[in-house]
Amino acid sequence: MQDIANQIGIKLLKNKQTIATAESCTGGNIAHQITLIPGSSAWYKGSIISYACEVKENILKVPHQQIETYGVVSTQVAESMANGVRTLLNVDYAIATTGIAGPTGGNEQTPVGTVCIAIATPQKVVSKTIIAGNQRHQNIETFTHEALKFLLNEITVSDCNKQ
């Protein structure tokens, strides 16, 4: 994961861009991986760990109706979280995660091991859903790794589109 976070930092630094994170089920692990990189303060502004719905709503401005309609673990909520933290911390890119790390809490529609990841870029918001296993620690690591890979891909695509 450190290699991916380092690549993200190199690209952001080169482009004079910044990032922030909004994490629920990853509980700050993405921020932790980023801040392990020396010099990350040049491109990483901060994080909102929005474990509770009221934090998602009150701080990140996720509409309550969206949570009611789609559920807290949904691409719609992840996208609103990413947009919210991008605006709040005034950054170029934002990443958000919302999911169920387990081992309990899932249901038939949203099983344990489900995460929704969203990336807000200067041009768009993209999201995806991943279903991992039922081991909490491993799920958090998997969610973090997938989120960082997704972000690196979006930054790379954005770089390619500039050329």
Side-chain angles (χ1 to χ4, degrees):
M1 269 188 278
Q2 287 303 284
D3 183 52
I4 297 170
N6 192 51
Q7 289 177 56
I8 290 167
I10 290 167
K11 287 180 179 290
L12 291 173
L13 200 55
K14 177 183 149 226
N15 295 331
K16 296 182 172 85
Q17 293 176 313
T18 55
I19 185 172
T21 56
E23 300 183 61
S24 184
C25 60
T26 48
N29 199 45
I30 297 169
H32 174 68
Q33 295 301 319
I34 289 170
T35 58
L36 286 173
I37 304 299
S40 59
S41 60
W43 47 273
Y44 180 66
K45 283 203 178 178
S47 180
I48 303 296
I49 299 173
S50 57
Y51 218 62
C53 285
E54 56 263 26
V55 176
K56 290 174 182 67
E57 293 175 23
N58 297 333
I59 305 295
L60 296 175
K61 306 303 182 199
V62 175
H64 177 76
Q65 189 59 44
Q66 195 174 61
I67 292 172
E68 288 291 316
T69 302
Y70 302 106
V72 71
V73 180
S74 64
T75 54
Q76 293 86 350
V77 168
E79 289 176 4
S80 289
M81 290 170 62
N83 274 326
V85 78
R86 184 170 180 265
T87 300
L88 184 65
L89 297 185
N90 190 30
V91 294
D92 299 291
Y93 289 89
I95 187 165
T97 58
T98 182
I100 304 169
T104 61
N107 59 43
E108 195 172 302
Q109 292 84 16
T110 312
V112 167
T114 301
V115 66
C116 297
I117 304 167
I119 310 289
T121 77
Q123 295 81 26
K124 62 185 176 181
V125 180
V126 293
S127 59
K128 67 179 180 178
T129 301
I130 295 168
I131 301 176
N134 60 6
Q135 300 297 313
R136 184 177 187 81
H137 178 74
Q138 183 58 48
N139 284 345
I140 292 169
E141 291 299 311
T142 298
F143 298 167
T144 299
H145 185 254
E146 290 296 326
L148 289 169
K149 282 189 345 188
F150 192 27
L151 175 61
L152 180 59
N153 182 65
E154 287 305 315
I155 293 169
T156 301
V157 166
S158 181
D159 281 354
C160 289
N161 289 339
K162 287 182 199 173
Q163 298 173 1

